[in-house]
Amino acid sequence: MVFGYNAKKKGTSSIRKANVHDSDTHHDATTDSNTSDGPPLDESPISHQVADDTDRRIINLLSSYDAKEDHSPGDIRDVLPIHQASRRQVHHHHVTYKFSKVNACPSLHLVDRGANGGLAGDDMRVLHKTGRKVDISGIDNHEVNNLDIVTCASMFDTNKGRIIGIFHEYAFLGKGRSIHSSGQLEWMGLKVDEQSVLVGGRQRIETLQNHIIPISIKGGLAYIQPVGKPSDQDMDDYPHVFFTNPADWDPALLDYDFPATDGQPVWDQLMDDRPYEDPRFDDFGDFTGRVVATLDILTGDTPYTFYNSSRRDSGSPTTTRRDPDWMSLRPCFGWTSIQHIKDTYKITTRFGTVPYNNLMRKHYKSRNPVLNIPRHSEPVATDTIYSDTPAVCSGVKSAQFFAGRTTLVCDVYPLQRDKQFINALEDIIRKRGAMESLISDRAQVLISKKVDDLLRSLLIKVFNSEPHHQHQNFAENMLGTTLEWTNRIMNFSGARACMWLLALQYVVYLRNYLASPALDGQCPLFALTGQTQDISHLTHFHFNQPVYYRIDDEARSFPSSGTELPGHWVGFGEHVGDLMTWKILTADDDIIYRSAVRPASSGFDKNRRLESVEGEVGSSSLPVFVKSRHLDSCSDQSKFVMPTINFEDLVGRTFLMPPKENGERHRAHVVRPLIETSSEEPNLIQDLKFILDIRNGMSEEIITYNELMDYIQKEEDRTLDHEQLFKFTRIIGHQGPLNQDDPHYKGSSYNVLVEWDTGETTYEPLSIIARDDPETCAVYAKENNLLDERGWRRFKRFVKTHKRTIRNIKRNKIKHSHHNIKYMFGYQIPRDYEEAMELDRKNGNTKWKEAIDLELKQIDDYQTFKDVGKAEINTKGQVMNAPEGYKKIRVHLVFAVKHDGRHKARLVADGHLTRNTIEGAYSGVVSLRSLRIVMFLSELNTLQLWGADIGNAYLEAYTEEKIFIVAGPAFGDRKGHILIISKALYGLRTSGARWHDRLFDVMRDMGFSPSKNDPDIWMRLSKDGEVYEYIAVYVDDLAIVAKDPAEICQILKDKFKFKLKGDGPLEYHLGCGYWRDPDGTLVADPKKYIEKMMEWYEQEFGEKPRKFKTPLEPGDHPEIDESPECSEENQSRYLTMIGQLQWLVALGRFDIFCATMTMSKFRPAPKEGHMSRLKRMYGYVLETRIAAIRFRTTEPNYDDIEIPQHDWMRTVYGNVKEIIPEDAPEPEGKPVVPTSYVDANLYHDIVTGKAVTAVLHLINQTPIDWYSKKQSTVETATFGSEFSAARTATDQIVDLRNTLRYLGVPVRERSYLFGDNKSVVTNATIPTSVLSKRHHALSYHRAREAVASGFLLFWWIDGKNNPADILSKHWTFVSIFPMLKSLLLWRGETKDIKDAPTVSNKDKAN
């Protein structure tokens, strides 16, 4: 970030230098009052002349603008005055840095023992300027004066990974390579050994954190290799390491002379005259490297000895202890008594110290880490557990066990490697607090330097048991009982060996809650916290118990996929959700956390869908549940085959009985089956009857099997039609308050009378209903004045936002509702195979049947399946003869209708049933912006534009997954067969990646390479070397731009055996049609998509939309609409309409971008007024359905724009140049000129106060990209919002220019940016402008730097001529139509278009 420090001015001799001691403020007599006090300057060491008369004329011109306009109070141009009459001046002492004369290697940093200060070149990032100056000397015998003293950063690779080196107090030269002073680094405490290893050196720099950077010796000089300047992302990703001290650097700090002695020469002090004595020890055998800091020891009986490696004292260590000044401490303790303070000192610690300094600074690291964590006043023992089996999910084979010596609280943490013990130690400290001492068995990793440093920094004592005396470690005893318990649980639960870690974690968690005789019957957690523990969550499941867990609605791809999945309960969600959140092991061996879990019992509520045969439909034969002794001899066996639901399992099922004459309706429960034999050869279905319980035993009734199945079918149909999370419609009454003796008590002090969507009404505990749906409970409580009653007060917080509560209720109902019937291009889309056959019968044709047969035939042509015979399925739905090592999954059919009415069926695998892969699993798609650029280049360089669709693209690649299916009825004669999947079938997790790999090999073989900006655009140089040819890939849809695209298509067919469909000149692609005007201009026209939108609208609303000439009313603010909320049906329609409009924007209708962006905000809970606005937008689209993007390739003429000639060298930007990618291909073909328009609409949203940024980008004369979005911050003036928009536009222009370069397109030197805010344009383009509001600094400097570099010309344009207004506000037809007509509605030349208040028929034709 660049900060706005004042710069040196002409005629001013005062400069900032190091070591600021005093300052005074006065007027500089030499200051020219007519000269602007400009922006911050990074002054170059080379002298420059001051601004010439041209700059002064520009300043005078700006002043004349101010004189002409009558600004209102608070106008930004008055807030930021150009002229200032005085300035501050600061006096300083002088410091000079000196450097050796060197020839530095261009890519390395010099480590110079002869330099007395660091120098930052152009390879280091400046983080902060101190505001002080410094002179440097010694480089080529020259002096450079007045350099900034900065804090800078550079990246290095070390033995511990990549780091960000932070260098304080460096002189900033801004060019060349950086130089590091060995002395300055060593003053920070770093170990700098630049002596060559050939003469006994180590050639390395070691930081205080033990990061080691190697030193290279080249030509006798020491260098270190930087990685480069750190980016913003790098600054967030990598650790920061200080290389120099942030205090003011004065090289004189290193000054030292040997002290004078009486008659003893200096060299005698340099020589060791005791050759037979170890110099590390004194005459008494004490270590001489130990130095005692004189310190007041306030408490304790043991003297403290402190070590300091920077000094040596040959004398014996001594300490001084004295009592504190108790009287002076009284104010710190609220003037309590001295005895009270002494007693407090005896029972407390004082580990913290505060270094005092006259010059206070911000500290970046904790000065006292020991004070940052809670203390755990007990010894903790630890030991390592090993297993011979990798643990499920993580694959670890070891874990670290911790046990409290006093409280017996246990914890366990998995370890990938033994070296990760330090991580486990930090985790236990973070969770329980710093223990008093750590007891271990002296394992090498437990007594390592890292562990020792951590324990020392947190003042944790260490006790290590003797070798081969592990019994001294308390953890050994605790661990023995824990492992015995773990093995017993795994044996009893039938857990797999790989679940050992889950079982161990479960046991450790469990024993922390169980009463312990060693604790007088209390549980360990009570001993630790002193709080009574709740064990409600321990009583619901046992380890490895089969369960069902609920699927999130977002994860359900189809309604038929069910709402539950099977898994195994393996523990508690200790740090996830509430207390009743469980740890579930899924069928794919993944760990998830869910609160909606139920046992997978074998009773009536067993999920038969998860236990049945998992084919596309099911097994070819149904199991026989009841069998007569005459069955084998019966010729018609079909009448003896019962449904897949076992009649025994029907017991306990409930359903709603038909209404009685008095209107009452009750729910019936199946009690037991009753078989009546009425003939010698009984028909079991006819004889089977069931006894029903009505109204909880008040009456019974007998019905036949067929009647029961009818009722159950109706119940299931009702569930499918209303598949929602909320099964009740409302609360209509309540009971309570109740106590435990009350006969109606159900575990809650209140019961609520719930009306279910099935029509039944029952009393349910309030606690259960409140947990599932607190909003509905809150509405009932408010309507019945219960919010102040005990048990109901919890709902007050929901009622405070009543409207939001109502919206949440409706939103959740929509979220969990069953999918409605879908239509595409006027055809109803079936949801499964059976519905497809039903639609064929209803429509009197076989379109869907033919589509399915064609899909399966094509799949067979690719040899996708390998048939291994009939599946043998047991009663549990398990395939007994499944191929070894293969996993069973399902497949389903997905249906669609193409734009030309073709019916399409796609066989898709249920890839979610397979295990996740660590590799990429998707195939990329080209962005629509890149696609438009490629099409533009086809017109620019007179290339041909073709399209092609690769049939069954995924099946061109082989899958690496071992999976199979059991064929369903769609497979005909193969129904019930085991089919191994050998090709990358759609839906498999890795099919996209496999197709991408296949296409990658094909493109490379044809000489294409992916663009580095968009890897889904493949490019190669044409045979004549004049232009580039391109293929834009959208999964399996190709847009080919080449001189001979027919040849490319033929190679794909002949050589690579691709089945291409629709190959030829591009006519329709991704929802957009392509054709040419009479003058030959290529047109991208979404008209056909609009027609389908209107067909959908007419089908939904029964009429065509009313036509409008603007998307929304000018100045409309839908955010303050107070109309009623939409019905559930209209809410679903609203989502569909927003999706259609958003895709239409992507296809080129940017004239509705702003309105679509505005209305998208209300998708969660739209109101009727919002729906009316969407209908209006549909009417506008219908009115302007001929709007289209035209690819005009002529370069715009900007000869009438006078290019400003400003000298930016003496600004903070210096001689900045556009950064051109070095790895971009050589440009070929015709050049292009990017043009952009920017605008901001202040206070677009009057509720949040946010403005809208709008940018329109053109290449030559073709609209290529558009942007309309609310700004992330709230601005109080147009200046701020416009500058923020200018920054966004600048970033997008840079991206667009680089995109073109990576596509091999010659880009003109300058891009043109037009904006209608004169203040912003002026401040961004005039070097002498200043900025007062610092929160605009990022936007301000981003735009100015781009202008200073010369690649961006920012020019003012009248607002009525700014086409970005189309994207920024709700406009009027008269103001926008001339620009809209030029961009989207006009054929041929646009220069003669006149302003027009209406669209005539002639204009429409044009």
Side-chain angles (χ1 to χ4, degrees):
M1 182 180 293
V2 182
F3 294 87
Y5 294 112
N6 292 325
K8 180 180 176 182
K9 300 179 59 175
K10 176 183 177 181
T12 303
S13 60
S14 172
I15 60 174
R16 289 194 172 92
K17 302 174 184 177
N19 299 324
V20 180
H21 290 285
D22 61 326
S23 64
D24 64 302
T25 305
H26 61 87
H27 296 296
D28 185 359
T30 64
T31 301
D32 187 353
S33 61
N34 293 327
T35 304
S36 169
D37 186 10
L41 302 178
D42 277 341
E43 296 178 280
S44 171
I46 304 174
S47 300
H48 293 284
Q49 295 181 350
V50 296
D52 58 15
D53 292 338
T54 302
D55 295 322
R56 193 176 304 280
R57 287 197 301 270
I58 294 175
I59 296 172
N60 295 334
L61 179 61
L62 294 176
S63 302
S64 66
Y65 284 151
D66 291 343
K68 292 178 182 178
E69 297 182 8
D70 185 15
H71 300 151
S72 59
D75 188 278
I76 193 63
R77 286 165 289 182
D78 292 334
V79 174
L80 301 175
I82 295 179
H83 303 295
Q84 294 182 352
S86 63
R87 62 176 296 167
R88 298 180 63 227
Q89 182 172 337
V90 184
H91 297 291
H92 313 271
H93 291 297
H94 195 95
V95 173
T96 301
Y97 291 176
K98 297 182 178 180
F99 300 88
S100 303
K101 181 178 180 179
V102 297
N103 294 319
C105 297
S107 61
L108 302 174
H109 288 187
L110 176 68
V111 181
D112 189 1
R113 179 67 67 177
N116 65 355
L119 179 68
D122 60 3
D123 52 359
M124 299 183 75
R125 174 176 177 174
V126 176
L127 303 179
H128 172 67
K129 294 184 179 180
T130 64
R132 295 179 283 112
K133 301 286 186 178
V134 69
D135 299 335
I136 63 175
S137 63
I139 301 178
D140 295 332
N141 298 321
H142 291 290
E143 291 189 0
V144 181
N145 302 321
N146 308 336
L147 296 186
D148 285 311
I149 297 178
V150 302
T151 295
C152 48
S154 185
M155 285 194 298
F156 299 93
D157 285 330
T158 73
N159 59 317
K160 295 185 177 182
R162 185 161 294 180
I163 63 171
I164 304 294
I166 306 298
F167 300 87
H168 299 284
E169 298 293 301
Y170 267 44
F172 179 59
L173 181 62
K175 64 178 183 178
R177 297 306 178 188
S178 301
I179 301 175
H180 303 287
S181 166
S182 299
Q184 189 176 5
L185 300 179
E186 291 170 338
W187 184 256
M188 180 65 184
L190 277 69
K191 299 177 182 178
V192 183
D193 188 347
E194 66 267 52
Q195 191 175 18
S196 173
V197 295
L198 300 179
V199 292
R202 305 185 72 183
Q203 284 189 219
R204 70 181 194 176
I205 296 176
E206 183 175 356
T207 71
L208 297 176
Q209 296 79 19
N210 305 116
H211 295 92
I212 297 176
I213 301 175
I215 291 178
S216 300
I217 305 296
K218 298 180 183 294
L221 299 177
Y223 298 95
I224 56 176
Q225 176 68 61
V227 176
K229 288 184 181 180
S231 64
D232 291 341
Q233 187 64 42
D234 294 331
M235 297 294 289
D236 293 335
D237 291 345
Y238 300 115
H240 296 190
V241 178
F242 283 12
F243 277 65
T244 58
N245 199 301
D248 293 350
W249 170 244
D250 187 350
L253 294 170
L254 296 172
D255 293 352
Y256 178 80
D257 284 326
F258 285 99
T261 58
D262 295 336
Q264 182 182 8
V266 172
W267 52 82
D268 286 349
Q269 304 177 44
L270 306 178
M271 300 178 64
D272 188 353
D273 57 355
R274 294 176 296 175
Y276 301 104
E277 297 179 6
D278 192 335
R280 296 174 296 174
F281 297 89
D282 60 14
D283 296 338
F284 299 93
D286 292 324
F287 183 60
T288 57
R290 184 173 55 187
V291 174
V292 178
T294 302
L295 185 70
D296 294 335
I297 305 301
L298 302 181
T299 60
D301 299 327
T302 304
Y304 286 80
T305 302
F306 289 81
Y307 297 87
N308 188 336
S309 61
S310 64
R311 298 175 53 197
R312 286 181 179 267
D313 186 356
S314 61
S316 301
T318 60
T319 61
T320 302
R321 185 192 312 135
R322 66 179 179 83
D323 291 333
D325 186 350
W326 302 111
M327 186 60 67
S328 65
L329 288 173
R330 288 191 65 199
C332 300
F333 290 87
W335 287 273
T336 189
S337 66
I338 292 178
Q339 187 59 44
H340 200 179
I341 299 175
K342 291 181 178 180
D343 294 341
T344 302
Y345 263 58
K346 293 178 182 178
I347 63 172
T348 57
T349 61
R350 289 154 303 286
F351 296 143
T353 60
V354 179
Y356 287 97
N357 195 317
N358 291 334
L359 184 59
M360 292 183 291
R361 291 182 177 82
K362 178 179 179 181
H363 59 272
Y364 296 89
K365 293 186 176 181
S366 174
R367 297 164 294 176
N368 299 284
V370 69
L371 303 183
N372 295 343
I373 59 172
R375 306 299 297 181
H376 183 193
S377 299
E378 71 168 333
V380 174
T382 184
D383 200 4
T384 307
I385 305 167
Y386 295 96
S387 171
D388 60 353
T389 304
V392 67
C393 297
S394 61
V396 302
K397 289 188 176 182
S398 60
Q400 196 65 34
F401 179 75
F402 296 90
R405 184 67 179 84
T406 305
T407 64
L408 307 185
V409 171
C410 301
D411 292 280
V412 65
Y413 296 93
L415 299 179
Q416 290 283 359
R417 301 184 304 274
D418 286 348
K419 291 184 178 180
Q420 287 186 330
F421 170 76
I422 183 68
N423 300 344
L425 180 59
E426 289 179 319
D427 290 339
I428 186 65
I429 292 174
R430 186 182 300 112
K431 181 178 180 180
R432 304 294 186 194
M435 62 283 295
E436 180 182 287
S437 61
L438 184 67
I439 305 171
S440 67
D441 58 1
R442 289 193 60 83
Q444 190 62 36
V445 68
L446 272 62
I447 58 175
S448 65
K449 185 177 184 300
K450 289 183 179 180
V451 175
D452 191 49
D453 290 343
L454 176 62
L455 298 177
R456 183 183 293 112
S457 65
L458 300 180
L459 300 181
I460 298 174
K461 301 176 184 178
V462 178
F463 174 81
N464 296 318
S465 61
E466 299 178 41
H468 311 293
H469 286 70
Q470 287 82 3
H471 60 274
Q472 296 177 356
N473 186 353
F474 171 73
E476 289 286 343
N477 301 326
M478 291 283 291
L479 183 57
T481 59
T482 301
L483 292 180
E484 181 182 355
W485 196 353
T486 300
N487 290 324
R488 184 170 66 251
I489 284 181
M490 292 186 68
N491 292 336
F492 288 171
S493 64
R496 293 174 291 161
C498 62
M499 297 171 66
W500 67 267
L501 179 59
L502 297 172
L504 178 62
Q505 291 172 330
Y506 169 70
V507 170
V508 167
Y509 186 91
L510 196 62
R511 70 179 303 162
N512 287 339
Y513 281 89
L514 297 181
S516 172
L519 299 175
D520 296 330
Q522 290 291 345
C523 68
L525 286 179
F526 177 85
L528 176 67
T529 65
Q531 297 178 349
T532 301
Q533 301 299 310
D534 187 278
I535 61 170
S536 304
H537 57 306
L538 304 181
T539 61
H540 292 267
F541 302 99
H542 63 75
F543 186 78
N544 201 32
Q545 179 177 351
V547 294
Y548 298 132
Y549 63 90
R550 184 178 175 275
I551 308 173
D552 294 335
D553 294 274
E554 293 83 357
R556 295 177 56 208
S557 57
F558 289 91
S560 59
S561 59
T563 60
E564 296 178 338
L565 281 178
H568 286 81
W569 187 96
V570 292
F572 309 92
E574 189 173 0
H575 303 294
V576 180
D578 57 17
L579 192 64
M580 297 295 192
T581 301
W582 322 111
K583 185 191 297 185
I584 306 298
L585 180 65
T586 68
D588 297 328
D589 281 347
D590 292 328
I591 292 295
I592 63 174
Y593 295 89
R594 293 292 185 271
S595 58
V597 180
R598 69 182 182 92
S601 62
S602 59
F604 71 93
D605 57 350
K606 186 174 183 178
N607 194 322
R608 295 288 171 180
R609 299 174 67 185
L610 299 179
E611 301 295 333
S612 61
V613 180
E614 294 183 1
E616 198 169 35
V617 171
S619 173
S620 60
S621 61
L622 299 176
V624 179
F625 292 93
V626 180
K627 192 173 187 180
S628 169
R629 60 187 175 89
H630 305 287
L631 179 62
D632 295 337
S633 60
C634 182
S635 59
D636 185 9
Q637 297 183 5
S638 62
K639 64 181 180 180
F640 296 105
V641 178
M642 297 291 290
T644 57
I645 300 179
N646 191 336
F647 70 86
E648 293 290 347
D649 290 339
L650 294 176
V651 176
R653 293 289 295 267
T654 67
F655 58 89
L656 203 61
M657 296 289 288
K660 296 183 178 295
E661 294 180 358
N662 59 3
E664 292 182 347
R665 197 174 190 186
H666 302 291
R667 181 163 289 275
H669 296 257
V670 180
V671 178
R672 65 180 184 274
L674 179 64
I675 299 179
E676 295 181 355
T677 303
S678 58
S679 63
E680 186 175 348
E681 299 292 336
N683 186 322
L684 294 181
I685 292 181
Q686 295 178 356
D687 295 340
L688 185 60
K689 297 183 180 180
F690 291 85
I691 299 178
L692 306 180
D693 175 23
I694 312 296
R695 300 177 63 185
N696 295 326
M698 297 182 64
S699 62
E700 289 186 349
E701 188 172 322
I702 298 177
I703 64 172
T704 65
Y705 171 82
N706 290 332
E707 291 175 335
L708 175 60
M709 295 309 297
D710 288 340
Y711 287 137
I712 292 177
Q713 185 62 48
K714 291 178 181 179
E715 189 79 2
E716 292 178 348
D717 291 343
R718 186 183 298 109
T719 302
L720 290 175
D721 291 338
H722 306 282
E723 187 174 323
Q724 300 176 5
L725 177 64
F726 298 89
K727 295 295 184 180
F728 60 88
T729 58
R730 58 174 179 156
I731 298 175
I732 58 177
H734 69 277
Q735 292 175 335
L738 307 172
N739 54 43
Q740 295 184 3
D741 298 331
D742 195 294
H744 300 291
Y745 183 77
K746 298 183 178 182
S748 178
S749 57
Y750 283 89
N751 295 333
V752 289
L753 183 60
V754 176
E755 181 180 1
W756 301 93
D757 57 0
T758 59
E760 188 185 18
T761 58
T762 61
Y763 278 104
E764 301 294 340
L766 175 62
S767 58
I768 295 179
I769 301 299
R771 187 186 310 155
D772 291 339
D773 188 9
E775 288 88 358
T776 300
C777 295
V779 172
Y780 176 81
K782 180 180 180 181
E783 293 175 349
N784 293 273
N785 300 321
L786 296 173
L787 291 174
D788 293 326
E789 298 293 333
R790 186 175 181 180
W792 296 89
R793 297 171 187 165
R794 69 183 106 167
F795 303 113
K796 280 188 175 182
R797 62 188 180 94
F798 295 98
V799 179
K800 289 180 180 178
T801 55
H802 179 67
K803 292 183 178 179
R804 185 183 301 173
T805 299
I806 299 300
R807 288 198 299 268
N808 287 341
I809 294 174
K810 294 184 177 181
R811 186 189 307 128
N812 287 331
K813 289 183 177 180
I814 291 176
K815 180 179 178 181
H816 300 284
S817 63
H818 188 65
H819 290 282
N820 293 327
I821 296 175
K822 294 183 178 179
Y823 296 87
M824 291 182 66
F825 301 105
Y827 293 92
Q828 182 178 340
I829 304 301
R831 287 167 285 193
D832 51 34
Y833 175 79
E834 288 76 11
E835 189 173 4
M837 299 300 97
E838 179 61 28
L839 288 177
D840 277 352
R841 287 190 292 270
K842 184 185 299 184
N843 298 329
N845 56 41
T846 58
K847 289 185 177 181
W848 290 119
K849 181 66 168 59
E850 293 170 358
I852 295 172
D853 293 341
L854 177 62
E855 170 69 1
L856 294 179
K857 181 181 181 303
Q858 292 176 341
I859 287 178
D860 290 337
D861 290 342
Y862 286 92
Q863 299 179 351
T864 304
F865 296 107
K866 180 182 178 181
D867 191 345
V868 296
K870 189 79 170 180
E872 298 175 6
I873 303 174
N874 61 17
T875 57
K876 295 183 178 180
Q878 298 172 338
V879 180
M880 304 304 296
N881 58 338
E884 185 177 356
Y886 283 74
K887 180 178 177 59
K888 176 187 172 186
I889 66 169
R890 298 186 298 266
V891 294
H892 63 275
L893 287 163
V894 178
F895 301 90
V897 175
K898 296 293 185 179
H899 68 281
D900 56 0
R902 288 183 293 120
H903 287 51
K904 180 74 174 179
R906 175 82 69 185
L907 186 70
V908 179
D910 290 350
H912 65 281
L913 300 176
T914 61
R915 182 171 297 182
N916 285 323
T917 175
I918 61 175
E919 301 177 351
Y922 302 101
S923 177
V925 296
V926 65
S927 68
L928 292 182
R929 185 191 74 160
S930 298
L931 182 63
R932 283 190 290 269
I933 293 176
V934 167
M935 294 177 176
F936 168 84
L937 295 177
S938 72
E939 294 297 291
L940 177 70
N941 296 318
T942 61
L943 302 174
Q944 295 187 55
L945 175 61
W946 274 37
D949 180 13
I950 302 177
N952 294 295
Y954 282 9
L955 301 182
E956 295 286 349
Y958 285 92
T959 184
E960 298 177 358
E961 301 180 61
K962 293 187 175 182
I963 48 180
F964 73 96
I965 66 169
V966 176
F971 287 84
D973 296 339
R974 290 177 292 177
K975 177 182 177 182
H977 283 230
I978 296 176
L979 304 180
I980 295 177
I981 301 176
S982 60
K983 289 296 186 73
L985 189 64
Y986 283 92
L988 295 180
R989 291 186 186 272
T990 61
S991 291
R994 298 291 76 79
W995 161 241
H996 181 271
D997 295 344
R998 168 68 170 154
L999 185 63
F1000 186 95
D1001 296 337
V1002 170
M1003 291 291 106
R1004 286 288 192 185
D1005 189 87
M1006 296 176 64
F1008 287 90
S1009 59
S1011 168
K1012 292 184 177 180
N1013 188 270
D1014 192 334
D1016 291 294
I1017 293 182
W1018 295 80
M1019 53 187 294
R1020 72 179 183 187
L1021 200 60
S1022 61
K1023 294 180 180 180
D1024 56 13
E1026 295 179 353
V1027 294
Y1028 286 97
E1029 298 177 331
Y1030 308 91
I1031 298 179
V1033 181
Y1034 198 100
V1035 186
D1036 56 358
D1037 290 323
L1038 307 181
I1040 305 172
V1041 173
K1043 288 194 172 183
D1044 188 3
E1047 180 186 9
I1048 294 177
C1049 291
Q1050 199 62 40
I1051 293 176
L1052 291 175
K1053 293 177 182 178
D1054 297 341
K1055 183 175 181 179
F1056 302 103
K1057 308 304 180 182
F1058 284 359
K1059 294 180 172 60
L1060 299 187
K1061 298 180 292 184
D1063 50 315
L1066 191 65
E1067 298 179 353
Y1068 190 88
H1069 195 65
L1070 301 180
C1072 207
Y1074 294 90
W1075 48 278
R1076 295 187 180 275
D1077 278 341
D1079 61 359
T1081 302
L1082 179 66
V1083 181
D1085 173 18
K1087 185 176 180 180
K1088 185 169 292 187
Y1089 183 78
I1090 294 175
E1091 291 174 357
K1092 301 305 178 183
M1093 286 175 58
M1094 298 307 145
E1095 291 176 5
W1096 177 90
Y1097 184 99
E1098 188 173 359
Q1099 184 176 10
E1100 289 292 320
F1101 297 103
E1103 60 181 1
K1104 291 184 178 180
R1106 178 186 171 189
K1107 295 182 179 180
F1108 290 90
K1109 293 184 178 180
T1110 58
L1112 295 178
E1113 286 284 348
D1116 189 16
H1117 289 284
E1119 63 272 15
I1120 59 175
D1121 186 287
E1122 295 183 355
S1123 61
E1125 292 190 5
C1126 289
S1127 63
E1128 294 183 8
E1129 184 179 14
N1130 274 347
Q1131 289 185 31
S1132 178
R1133 290 171 175 168
Y1134 193 96
L1135 295 175
T1136 302
M1137 296 170 76
I1138 286 293
Q1140 292 176 349
L1141 292 170
Q1142 287 175 334
W1143 185 250
L1144 187 59
V1145 170
L1147 293 179
R1149 290 299 303 270
F1150 56 82
D1151 52 329
I1152 62 170
F1153 199 166
C1154 181
T1156 303
M1157 178 270 298
T1158 302
M1159 301 309 300
S1160 298
K1161 170 185 176 181
F1162 310 106
R1163 284 178 295 181
K1167 297 183 177 181
E1168 291 296 340
H1170 300 149
M1171 174 59 77
S1172 299
R1173 289 175 172 86
L1174 284 194
K1175 292 181 177 179
R1176 175 190 176 97
M1177 292 173 64
Y1178 268 63
Y1180 168 77
V1181 170
L1182 179 61
E1183 172 71 8
T1184 57
R1185 58 190 178 277
I1186 63 171
I1189 297 290
R1190 285 170 167 80
F1191 292 86
R1192 301 183 174 102
T1193 59
T1194 304
E1195 286 189 48
N1197 187 354
Y1198 293 128
D1199 292 342
D1200 55 342
I1201 295 180
E1202 182 179 356
I1203 307 299
Q1205 300 297 326
H1206 296 307
D1207 184 7
W1208 294 87
M1209 273 297 299
R1210 303 187 63 203
T1211 67
V1212 293
Y1213 315 108
N1215 188 25
V1216 62
K1217 299 294 183 182
E1218 181 185 10
I1219 300 176
I1220 298 177
E1222 297 179 355
D1223 56 346
E1226 287 295 324
E1228 300 291 347
K1230 299 178 182 178
V1232 298
V1233 176
T1235 303
S1236 303
Y1237 296 87
V1238 63
D1239 187 40
N1241 183 23
L1242 184 67
Y1243 219 57
H1244 179 87
D1245 189 321
I1246 64 175
V1247 173
T1248 63
K1250 292 184 177 181
V1252 164
T1253 294
V1255 188
L1256 177 63
H1257 300 282
L1258 293 85
I1259 300 179
N1260 288 358
Q1261 296 178 346
T1262 302
I1264 289 295
D1265 201 13
W1266 35 89
Y1267 179 88
S1268 180
K1269 186 178 180 180
K1270 289 182 184 177
Q1271 296 179 359
S1272 58
T1273 58
V1274 177
E1275 299 291 346
T1276 59
T1278 304
F1279 180 87
S1281 62
E1282 292 279 0
F1283 238 130
S1284 177
R1287 179 193 64 183
T1288 300
T1290 302
D1291 290 338
Q1292 294 178 1
I1293 290 171
V1294 172
D1295 178 67
L1296 180 59
R1297 291 175 66 88
N1298 286 336
T1299 298
L1300 292 170
R1301 289 191 176 104
Y1302 277 116
L1303 292 174
V1305 181
V1307 183
R1308 293 293 188 187
E1309 176 187 7
R1310 185 174 288 105
S1311 289
Y1312 294 84
L1313 175 63
F1314 296 93
D1316 56 16
N1317 188 288
K1318 192 173 295 184
S1319 296
V1320 172
V1321 174
T1322 299
N1323 278 272
T1325 56
I1326 304 301
T1328 53
S1329 68
V1330 295
L1331 179 66
S1332 293
K1333 293 190 175 181
R1334 299 296 294 276
H1335 65 279
H1336 295 152
L1338 288 176
S1339 301
Y1340 175 84
H1341 289 293
R1342 183 68 176 106
R1344 284 169 59 84
E1345 185 183 50
V1347 173
S1349 67
F1351 78 85
L1352 180 64
L1353 189 145
F1354 196 4
W1355 197 260
W1356 178 81
I1357 188 175
D1358 196 326
K1360 67 180 181 180
N1361 298 323
N1362 187 2
D1365 279 2
I1366 301 174
L1367 297 158
S1368 65
K1369 53 181 65 72
H1370 308 317
W1371 33 267
T1372 62
F1373 174 77
V1374 174
S1375 63
I1376 293 299
F1377 180 73
M1379 294 178 288
L1380 189 62
K1381 192 174 184 180
S1382 301
L1383 290 166
L1384 296 175
L1385 299 171
W1386 191 261
R1387 297 177 181 174
E1389 295 293 331
T1390 61
K1391 61 181 181 180
D1392 297 328
I1393 294 179
K1394 306 296 183 182
D1395 293 355
T1398 58
V1399 182
S1400 64
N1401 292 331
K1402 180 180 178 180
D1403 292 332
K1404 292 180 182 179
N1406 289 334

